[in-house]
């Protein structure tokens, strides 16, 4: 499975801690979205987690992990509260 990562999930060590192994990754971006920090951190509105929002004139740079297992994807969903 493929997984587009932005923010802290671009860090290989973070991903290894979340999915249990390193995965092949390549530079990637998605058009039509922008990076925002609009998810409040620990009920403090002055801090936020990275998120992406639709914006037809923007793009978000990140990495594409190319060897993610279904189990790894489920773990990321759990870690990201999805």
């Amino acid at each position: 499975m493929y997984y587009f990562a932005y923010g802290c999930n671009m860090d290989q060590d973070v991903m290894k801690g979340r999915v249990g192994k390193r995965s092949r990754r390549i530079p990637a971006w998605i058009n039509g979205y922008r990076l925002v920090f609009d998810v409040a951190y620990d009920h403090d509105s002055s801090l936020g987690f990275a998120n992406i929002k639709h914006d037809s004139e923007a793009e978000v740079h990140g990495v594409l992990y190319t060897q993610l297992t279904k189990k790894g994807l489920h773990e990321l969903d759990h870690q990201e509260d999805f």
Side-chain angles (χ1 to χ4, degrees):
M1 297 186 138
Y2 295 100
Y3 177 78
F4 177 75
Y6 59 92
C8 70
N9 283 343
M10 292 172 55
D11 185 310
Q12 283 186 319
D13 291 331
V14 169
M15 285 294 284
K16 183 180 179 192
R18 292 183 173 187
V19 299
K21 69 172 193 163
R22 291 187 187 267
S23 177
R24 182 170 178 253
R25 66 188 196 144
I26 55 175
W29 66 92
I30 55 173
N31 294 317
Y33 289 87
R34 65 184 162 88
L35 183 65
V36 297
F37 294 87
D38 65 347
V39 179
Y41 173 77
D42 199 21
H43 308 292
D44 182 346
S45 62
S46 68
L47 300 173
F49 288 108
N51 195 11
I52 56 175
K53 296 281 185 169
H54 180 21
D55 179 341
S56 61
E57 297 182 15
E59 65 185 19
V60 176
H61 290 258
V63 296
L64 186 67
Y65 289 93
T66 63
Q67 299 167 336
L68 200 64
T69 64
K70 190 177 246 186
K71 180 180 177 183
L73 186 58
H74 286 301
E75 181 57 31
L76 285 171
D77 285 347
H78 173 73
Q79 292 284 332
E80 298 290 327
D81 288 330
F82 180 74

